[in-house]
Each structure stands twice: as structure tokens, then as C-alpha cells.
């Protein structure tokens, strides 16, 4: 192309640069539907999802509509995402982990919610009930047999049978050849019905086929590797699944490339973005494993600043020659810093005419939003019974009346999210139970001081063990239970040291239930402990987390 076909565009920021680029590509494709148009976005892999969403919104808005997954795309992106990032492959890897006994809650949750396993539609409600119960289990790796037993209790018999069959498919010697592990992994997925027949879009189907190819690659390694364990085989399969995957999508008219290189094609339109002074020409990058003098002598690419500059000039000239219409752009501000354009931009490049952004679905939706004034309707009257929530009712009502209504009247509570170890709520319950029992046996400070350090420790340990046995249960695992026991002993021991330094007191009540009424609303409260100090009464509230004294100050 001639130099007159070259335009330069300095965008206010990278987001505006991307918007302008896509609008320009859209106009170019409408003007030449049979042509080939491209854009170069450096570091595309780091922004792939955002760029792909923006391409769909501008270049093919119908992709944002429900059921459009099977629609043929008019654009395609280079730098495919890792194969393991595709949902169908992530489900397969999670299935292998769970059947192998290494699946934590997140993996089991994904399987129970996945439509890619057999009978997912017919057992959807039962599997969700099971997933809800698994949230109450301490998230150590959950045994497949335990999940299968719970699945049968919740009416998910097909899932339970599939789990049993998947476990059986992996059974065998601990050390096996790569081919045997690949065959076992394939049988495990087949037992679970992965991927469920029908319903896969073209991209997902190709991803599933690519995962099957990775299993075959794993099998081929037995020619050069010794037998290895399940963990080693799973790690190697994971490594193979981390390789990039690009589904075949015909011959789209718009290509989004990922490298500041010559595209190797004759294009009707080309937009090159990110041409800041720091990025273009690229900094010299000599090979650290070869002598620098040898690299300079042989003129290896990028070995010296001079070679990097010459390479950048050659590529810039190639962009002009490879396209009929060319735009070279850069952001004027990046990461809150003003940046300059590359000095290699052609001096005769005319500035690109500014155009208003093309209409988009989200912009049209925001423009159409109007403020509403909802009617101040009162909630239905509360039945004549104590309100749920205790003192939290007053806290929620003061912060947000709607949240109080939704959480305490409608039961719209957040699902419990498993975390490593014992969660804070259960830790507080154990502490309360242990201290309640301790003070029932130790009525006052005099009795506490009369205990020898060894006697005090034994009594605390007995109270903690009883509370753990009642509240924690075997599901937590021995290691988590042991760590929690150590924490409880240290916490209660430290508290009792403080109790010994107080003025003389007697424990009057522990865990007392109280009934209250406020504005005609009855509710129940629980007081952790009430001490008597002379003629005074002191209310004690136990806290296992960080407590701010500032909350007690002021009105």
C-alpha cells in the first residue's frame, strides 16, 4: 500500500484504543465483506477474555444472545487459551481427581452442578441438595465412597453408581505404565458419562476431542518412561492439558493477532495497537546461553539495540506493504502515566478521523434505564412468635431493613463456603461449650485459683475434648481436629490467666436464654456469662476473632 493509506491514532487510554480499533474493523468489514481484516494486540494472552467479549459486542452482537454458542463467528483470536480452561476439560480433570480420592469440595461441587455428566438433568435437584450438604463438611479431600453414600440418601442414585464405577475404573496397582493410566482415566470418564451426549457446541466438542488426544499422548509416553503413580500420571496429564488450544472456526474475515510481527498475509485492513515508545522497537533481548560476541558476530535477531531497531523498521515497513489500509495506534496514558508514541511511526501518517463509538447493547441498556420510585409497601405481619436472629435482628434492621427482612423472614441466607480447617462459626460454638462446662465445674475465682496448673490444664482439656466430640464430629479429620484442639487449649488457657488477675468474682450464669420485646416484637437473646463482683453484675461476651474496642464507644 501507499503511505497515504497509513493513519496514526493516539487514544486517551488502552480501553478507548480497543474500542476505536473494533469500531474501525467493523466498518472495514462492512465496506469489504469478502476481504480479510486483522488487528494486532500485543500481550493478547493477558487480555484475551476482555478482548473476546469486546469483539463479540462490537463485531457480532448476536453472540451475546441466548443460544448463540453454535453460531459461526466472523472473527477469531490467536493465542488460544489453555485446554484446561475449557469447561468440558475442567470437568474431566475434576472427575479424575474426585474418583482418585483427591477431590476437595470445589471439585465435587463442579461435578454435581455440571450438565456434562450422565443423568444431570433428571437428578439436578437431588444433586443440588447433595452439594448443599457437602458445604457443611470440612473441606479435606472427600472420599468418593462417602459422597456416593450421601448421594443415595438424597435420591441421586445414578450419580452414586457412576462414582462407584469411576472409582473401580481407577483401581489397580499403584505403579503402572503410562498407557495403563491413560486407559484407566478414559474408563473413569466413561463411567461418569462424560461428556454427556448432545448439547455440546462445536468449540466444546473440539475441546473434548483435544482432551482425548492428550490422553493418547500420555499413553505414548510409556515408550520412554518408567511406570509411575496416580499422582505422577495426573500431573503429567495436567501438564498436557495446559497447552494452548484453538478450535477450528472456518475462515473468519477478521483476525485478532497477538504479536508485533508481519502477519504473513495480504490484508485489506490492518490495525496495529500498543505502539508506545517503550514497546516499539522491542528492547534488545540477547540469548543468555550463548556468548554475546558470537550473537553480535552472527547478527542474531534482537541481540543488540541496533539489530532490534533494524528489525522494528523492517516490520513497520512490512505492515504498510501488507495492507491496503493501515492504522498504527498507541495509548497516550497507560497505568496513570503519560506515554509517548513510538518514534518509528511513519512521519507522513495522517491522523485518524475521530468517530463517535458505535452503539452497543450495554450502552443502549444503560441509556434506557430510568429511575423508579417504588411504593413503600409494608412487609406481611409477623406471626405471633419470637422473631429469628436474636440480637442480630436489631443489627440488620439498623443497617438495612430489607436485608433483615430477606435474611430473617425469607431465609435468603448466603450458602456456607467451605474453608481450610474449622470455620469461625464452629470454632466459636466449641469455645462456648467448653467454657460453659468449665465454669459449671469451677463456680468462682477462688475455685479457679485453688487449682494447680496441671489440674487446671487437665480440666480445660476435658472440657475442650467433650465440646469437640459433640460439635466437630469425625468429618473434620484427625489433623484438623488436633489443630483445633491445640488452638482451643491456648485460647482458653490465656483467658483463664486473665481471669486470675481480676477482682474476686463468682459465675452466676452461663449461656442464659433471655426473652425480650422491642416495639411489640418478641425476640430471644443468649448471654454468654454473667459474673457477680460484690453487688455488681458483669456481662461477659466471648469473641474468638478480632474485637474492636471502638465499637463500644460513643452513643
Amino acid at each position: 500500500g501507499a503511505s497515504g493509506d497509513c493513519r496514526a491514532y493516539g487514544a486517551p487510554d488502552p480501553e478507548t484504543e480497543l474500542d476505536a480499533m473494533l469500531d474501525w474493523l467493523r466498518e472495514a468489514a462492512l465496506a469489504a465483506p469478502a476481504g480479510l481484516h486483522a488487528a494486532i494486540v500485543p500481550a493478547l494472552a493477558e487480555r484475551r477474555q476482555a478482548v473476546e467479549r469486546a469483539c463479540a459486542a462490537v463485531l457480532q452482537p448476536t453472540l451475546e444472545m441466548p443460544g448463540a454458542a453454535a453460531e459461526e463467528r466472523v472473527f477469531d483470536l490467536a493465542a488460544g487459551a489453555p485446554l484446561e480452561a475449557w469447561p468440558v476439560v475442567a470437568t474431566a480433570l475434576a472427575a479424575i481427581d474426585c474418583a482418585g480420592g483427591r477431590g476437595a469440595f470445589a471439585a465435587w461441587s463442579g461435578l454435581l452442578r455440571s450438565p456434562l455428566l450422565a443423568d444431570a438433568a433428571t437428578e439436578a435437584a437431588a444433586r443440588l441438595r447433595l452439594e448443599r450438604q457437602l458445604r457443611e463438611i470440612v473441606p479435606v479431600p472427600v472420599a468418593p465412597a462417602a459422597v456416593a453414600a450421601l448421594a443415595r440418601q438424597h435420591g441421586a442414585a445414578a450419580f452414586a453408581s457412576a462414582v462407584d464405577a469411576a472409582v473401580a475404573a481407577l483401581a489397580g496397582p499403584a505403579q503402572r505404565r503410562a498407557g495403563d493410566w491413560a486407559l484407566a482415566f478414559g474408563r473413569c470418564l466413561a463411567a461418569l458419562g462424560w461428556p454427556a451426549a448432545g448439547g455440546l457446541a462445536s468449540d466444546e466438542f473440539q475441546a473434548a476431542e483435544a482432551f482425548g488426544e492428550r490422553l493418547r499422548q500420555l499413553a505414548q509416553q510409556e515408550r520412554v518412561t518408567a511406570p509411575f503413580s496416580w499422582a505422577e500420571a495426573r500431573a503429567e496429564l495436567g501438564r498436557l492439558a495446559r497447552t494452548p488450544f484453538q478450535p477450528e472456526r472456518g475462515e473468519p474475515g477478521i483476525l485478532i493477532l497477538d504479536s508485533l510481527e508481519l502477519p504473513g498475509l495480504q490484508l485489506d485492513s490492518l490495525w496495529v495497537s500498543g505502539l508506545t515508545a517503550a514497546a516499539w522497537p522491542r528492547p534488545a533481548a540477547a540469548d543468555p546461553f550463548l556468548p554475546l560476541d558470537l550473537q553480535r558476530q552472527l547478527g542474531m535477531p534482537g541481540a543488540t539495540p541496533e539489530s532490534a531497531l533494524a528489525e522494528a523498521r523492517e516490520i513497520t515497513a512490512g505492515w504498510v506493504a501488507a495492507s491496503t489500509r493501515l492504522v498504527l495506534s498507541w495509548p497516550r496514558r497507560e497505568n496513570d502515566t503519560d506515554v509517548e508514541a513510538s518514534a518509528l511511526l511513519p512521519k507522513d501518517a495522517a491522523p485518524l478521523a475521530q468517530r463517535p463509538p458505535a452503539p452497543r447493547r450495554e450502552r443502549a441498556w444503560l441509556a434506557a434505564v430510568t429511575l423508579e420510585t417504588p411504593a413503600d409497601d409494608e412487609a406481611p405481619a409477623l406471626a405471633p412468635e419470637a422473631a429469628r436472629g436474636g440480637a442480630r435482628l436489631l443489627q440488620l434492621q439498623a443497617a438495612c431493613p430489607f436485608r433483615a427482612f430477606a435474611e430473617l423472614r425469607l431465609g435468603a441466607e448466603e450458602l456456607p463456603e467451605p474453608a481450610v480447617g474449622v470455620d469461625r462459626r464452629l470454632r466459636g460454638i466449641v469455645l462456648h461449650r467448653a467454657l460453659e462446662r468449665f465454669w459449671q465445674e469451677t463456680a468462682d475465682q477462688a475455685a479457679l485459683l485453688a487449682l494447680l496448673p496441671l489440674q487446671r490444664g487437665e480440666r480445660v482439656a476435658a472440657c475442650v475434648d467433650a465440646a469437640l466430640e459433640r460439635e466437630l464430629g469425625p468429618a473434620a479429620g484427625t489433623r484438623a481436629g488436633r489443630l483445633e484442639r491445640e488452638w482451643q487449649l491456648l485460647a482458653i488457657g490465656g483467658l483463664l490467666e486473665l481471669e486470675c488477675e481480676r477482682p474476686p468474682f463468682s459465675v452466676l450464669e452461663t449461656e442464659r436464654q433471655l426473652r425480650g420485646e422491642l416495639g411489640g416484637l418478641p425476640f430471644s437473646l443468649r448471654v454468654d456469662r454473667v459474673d457477680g463482683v460484690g453487688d455488681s453484675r458483669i456481662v461477659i461476651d466471648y469473641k474468638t476473632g478480632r474485637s474492636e474496642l471502638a465499637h463500644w464507644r460513643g452513643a
Side-chain angles (χ1 to χ4, degrees), residues 245-375:
F245 168 70
Q246 184 80 356
E248 297 180 5
R249 292 170 175 166
E251 297 182 359
I254 300 176
L255 302 175
I256 308 297
L257 308 176
D258 63 338
S259 176
L260 292 173
E261 302 286 352
L262 290 174
L265 298 168
Q266 188 62 38
L267 303 169
D268 293 271
S269 307
L270 174 63
W271 182 301
V272 184
S273 62
L275 295 176
T276 63
W280 194 247
R282 287 182 288 240
D287 192 319
F289 298 103
L290 295 176
L292 184 58
D293 291 341
L294 179 62
Q295 295 183 58
R296 291 174 174 172
Q297 180 182 351
L298 298 177
M300 296 181 65
T304 63
E306 293 79 11
S307 63
L309 178 60
E311 180 189 31
R313 284 174 172 164
E314 181 181 353
I315 292 176
T316 304
W319 289 334
V320 176
S323 57
T324 305
R325 300 172 62 222
L326 175 66
V327 175
L328 305 174
S329 70
W330 72 97
R332 297 182 184 275
R333 191 169 181 81
E334 198 171 28
N335 297 327
D336 294 328
T337 304
D338 293 333
V339 294
E340 299 291 336
S342 170
L344 298 184
L345 268 62
K347 302 301 182 183
D348 57 349
L352 182 69
Q354 296 287 344
R355 300 179 179 85
R360 300 189 190 178
R361 176 185 57 83
E362 66 272 17
R363 292 173 182 167
W365 182 82
L366 289 173
V369 169
T370 56
L371 295 178
E372 297 180 0
T373 304

Side-chain angles (χ1 to χ4, degrees), residues 72-452:
E72 185 174 350
R73 294 192 176 193
V74 301
F75 65 92
D76 200 3
L77 280 71
L83 179 61
E84 66 178 359
W86 289 80
V88 65
V89 176
T91 300
L93 294 173
I96 293 173
D97 289 340
C98 291
R102 273 75 166 182
F105 165 76
W108 283 108
S109 175
L111 292 187
L112 290 167
R113 294 168 177 264
S114 174
L116 299 172
L117 303 185
D119 300 297
T122 56
E123 289 188 348
R127 294 183 185 186
L128 287 178
R129 289 194 296 270
L130 172 58
E131 196 265 356
R132 177 64 176 83
Q133 182 171 352
L134 285 180
R135 289 177 175 270
E136 303 291 345
I137 298 177
V138 178
V140 297
V142 185
V147 176
L150 289 172
R152 290 187 173 90
Q153 295 176 13
H154 287 80
F159 184 78
S161 300
V163 170
D164 291 338
V167 173
L170 293 179
Q175 297 286 327
R176 300 181 223 176
R177 297 182 303 170
D180 295 332
W181 279 119
L183 183 61
F185 290 159
R187 288 175 175 171
C188 169
L189 296 176
L192 289 166
W194 175 94
L200 284 182
S202 174
D203 290 356
E204 291 284 339
F205 178 80
Q206 293 181 58
E209 290 289 313
F211 185 72
E213 179 59 31
R214 301 304 190 273
L215 286 175
R216 288 187 285 273
Q217 293 175 8
L218 175 64
Q220 292 169 0
Q221 294 187 12
E222 70 177 30
R223 302 175 183 176
V224 295
T225 59
F228 40 53
S229 64
W230 181 95
E232 293 169 331
R234 171 62 181 85
E236 181 60 25
L237 180 61
R239 185 190 67 80
L240 293 171
R242 284 191 290 274
T243 55
F245 168 70
Q246 184 80 356
E248 297 180 5
R249 292 170 175 166
E251 297 182 359
I254 300 176
L255 302 175
I256 308 297
L257 308 176
D258 63 338
S259 176
L260 292 173
E261 302 286 352
L262 290 174
L265 298 168
Q266 188 62 38
L267 303 169
D268 293 271
S269 307
L270 174 63
W271 182 301
V272 184
S273 62
L275 295 176
T276 63
W280 194 247
R282 287 182 288 240
D287 192 319
F289 298 103
L290 295 176
L292 184 58
D293 291 341
L294 179 62
Q295 295 183 58
R296 291 174 174 172
Q297 180 182 351
L298 298 177
M300 296 181 65
T304 63
E306 293 79 11
S307 63
L309 178 60
E311 180 189 31
R313 284 174 172 164
E314 181 181 353
I315 292 176
T316 304
W319 289 334
V320 176
S323 57
T324 305
R325 300 172 62 222
L326 175 66
V327 175
L328 305 174
S329 70
W330 72 97
R332 297 182 184 275
R333 191 169 181 81
E334 198 171 28
N335 297 327
D336 294 328
T337 304
D338 293 333
V339 294
E340 299 291 336
S342 170
L344 298 184
L345 268 62
K347 302 301 182 183
D348 57 349
L352 182 69
Q354 296 287 344
R355 300 179 179 85
R360 300 189 190 178
R361 176 185 57 83
E362 66 272 17
R363 292 173 182 167
W365 182 82
L366 289 173
V369 169
T370 56
L371 295 178
E372 297 180 0
T373 304
D376 189 14
D377 297 328
E378 295 183 358
L382 184 67
E385 59 184 13
R388 295 175 59 241
R392 180 168 172 77
L393 181 152
L394 305 178
Q395 176 187 354
L396 292 179
Q397 183 71 19
C400 175
F402 173 76
R403 180 176 177 181
F405 175 75
E407 186 172 322
L408 301 179
R409 295 279 297 276
L410 302 181
E413 300 176 354
E414 184 179 1
L415 288 174
E417 191 68 29
V420 176
V422 178
D423 65 63
R424 292 176 297 175
R425 179 186 61 84
L426 190 56
R427 168 169 288 176
I429 293 175
V430 171
L431 184 83
H432 278 239
R433 295 285 180 265
L435 285 171
E436 178 183 12
R437 180 166 177 166
F438 180 86
W439 289 114
Q440 287 173 352
E441 299 176 6
T442 313
D444 52 29
Q445 188 190 53
L448 174 64
L449 295 174
L451 293 174
L452 296 175

